[in-house]
Amino acid sequence: MNTNTLIEVTVLPDNALQLTTLPTVHIASQCEAVTASATVDVNGISFSIFAQKNPDSLMVCRTYHAEKNSYFEPVVAIPVNEPIDTLQGFYFGGQPWLLSYHHDADTVHFYRFDSEAVTITPVTSIRVGKGFTTVQPLYYRNDVFFVAYNKDTGDVVKFQIVAPAYSPLYAQKTWSATWAQGWTRFSFFRLGAENFFIKTNEKYLKVNIDHFMDNIDQGSHPVLNQPASAEMLSLTKVQTFYDVHHNPYFFTYQPKGVMTFNRFDGDCEGWALMHTCQQAANISLHHTAQLEKRLLILMLQSEG
């Protein structure tokens, strides 16, 4: 793998965005490609984890080393037993965890992340079914969930993550439904203590901002439901992030390399365009790392 660009995004006090291009970073890899990525923060240190294939492994990197002024310094590569196309970090019981999924498999895998020993230990697997195109953990008050959606069938299900008496982790289904087919590019964010997500429907040409209901046995309802512009339908990436005051933003990416940066309205009924820029075309994966006062976006593109 190589990178086209590493950029730092800073939200200034007047809400303007400042983008800074940082030195090129090469992710050490003997694998064919990076297929997914996640970040976890432990005691103020950010770790970036990259799922790789052929052979399947998880590459753990130190996102930023202040003393060395280095970015994405590799620490260890850990073999895994299954391919991964979704990788997410979350926190449960005060500890960092990872979940992974591949749409051809029917299980979500959970791993415990140990930042001191820098190990990733498989703990348990939960059968959810094949074909899910979005798998995302989320929090509400003291509870941790994950949501899975299949854009081909519309099937959606929510699981609550729990700690049973005689095992370290389990997930139990609390809600399921059938949504419209075709929703894609989900990106989740929090406003106050509430969970929202933006999504685009390529079949019905819509863009929604949804609010997840507070009760564990309920789903979501749209706050915004409007026709999707041609620009929104052409995107390959939508990713949310926050400023230092935890106000939510999102960036978008088109295959030709055009990126936009946008701030959600306070009522979540729309957004304002804050910045547009041109980056490298045909980026295969955007890895985002939300640091304390800035956002890092590492744009990866497969060699050859």
Side-chain angles (χ1 to χ4, degrees), residues 115-128:
S115 62
E116 293 186 4
V118 193
T119 58
I120 297 174
T121 305
V123 173
T124 192
S125 299
I126 304 298
R127 189 176 301 276
V128 298

Side-chain angles (χ1 to χ4, degrees), residues 153-180:
T153 65
D155 293 334
V156 59
V157 60
K158 181 165 66 172
F159 288 81
Q160 183 178 12
I161 299 173
V162 296
Y166 298 105
S167 61
L169 196 78
Y170 186 68
Q172 57 190 17
K173 187 191 319 185
T174 62
W175 169 82
S176 63
T178 302
W179 286 350

Side-chain angles (χ1 to χ4, degrees), residues 16-224:
L17 270 69
Q18 175 180 289
L19 272 63
T20 305
T21 301
L22 299 174
T24 299
V25 176
H26 295 274
I27 303 298
S29 175
Q30 302 300 317
C31 300
E32 179 181 292
V34 172
T35 58
S37 65
T39 59
V40 291
D41 297 321
V42 185
N43 297 325
I45 298 175
S46 174
F47 292 90
S48 294
I49 301 99
F50 298 92
Q52 306 173 114
K53 67 177 182 179
N54 297 332
D56 297 316
S57 64
L58 293 172
M59 170 66 75
V60 182
C61 298
R62 179 87 172 263
T63 302
Y64 176 62
H65 198 301
E67 295 178 359
K68 298 181 179 180
N69 193 32
S70 63
Y71 295 87
F72 301 101
E73 184 177 291
V75 180
V76 65
I78 300 171
V80 293
N81 296 325
E82 61 282 318
I84 295 171
D85 60 19
T86 296
L87 185 68
Q88 301 282 357
F90 68 98
Y91 301 88
F92 181 76
Q95 301 297 318
W97 293 76
L98 296 168
L99 67 80
S100 73
Y101 179 75
H102 191 278
H103 66 275
D104 288 334
D106 63 357
T107 53
V108 170
H109 302 280
F110 292 90
Y111 309 84
R112 182 184 289 113
F113 180 79
D114 185 332
S115 62
E116 293 186 4
V118 193
T119 58
I120 297 174
T121 305
V123 173
T124 192
S125 299
I126 304 298
R127 189 176 301 276
V128 298
K130 295 182 179 181
F132 287 105
T133 48
T134 297
V135 180
Q136 173 72 37
L138 55 89
Y139 309 97
Y140 181 68
R141 295 180 179 171
N142 293 321
D143 296 319
V144 187
F145 304 88
F146 74 88
V147 178
Y149 168 77
N150 183 327
K151 75 175 182 180
D152 297 320
T153 65
D155 293 334
V156 59
V157 60
K158 181 165 66 172
F159 288 81
Q160 183 178 12
I161 299 173
V162 296
Y166 298 105
S167 61
L169 196 78
Y170 186 68
Q172 57 190 17
K173 187 191 319 185
T174 62
W175 169 82
S176 63
T178 302
W179 286 350
Q181 300 170 356
W183 291 110
T184 188
R185 292 189 288 280
F186 286 70
S187 193
F188 289 70
F189 63 97
R190 290 173 66 82
L191 188 60
E194 304 298 319
N195 289 293
F196 296 84
F197 56 94
I198 185 171
K199 60 183 180 181
T200 304
N201 195 299
E202 296 177 331
K203 182 176 183 179
Y204 298 106
L205 312 183
K206 291 282 189 177
V207 59
N208 273 25
I209 298 175
D210 279 29
H211 170 239
F212 249 114
M213 303 296 287
D214 300 340
N215 293 337
I216 64 173
D217 59 350
Q218 294 181 339
S220 69
H221 68 90
V223 179
L224 170 76

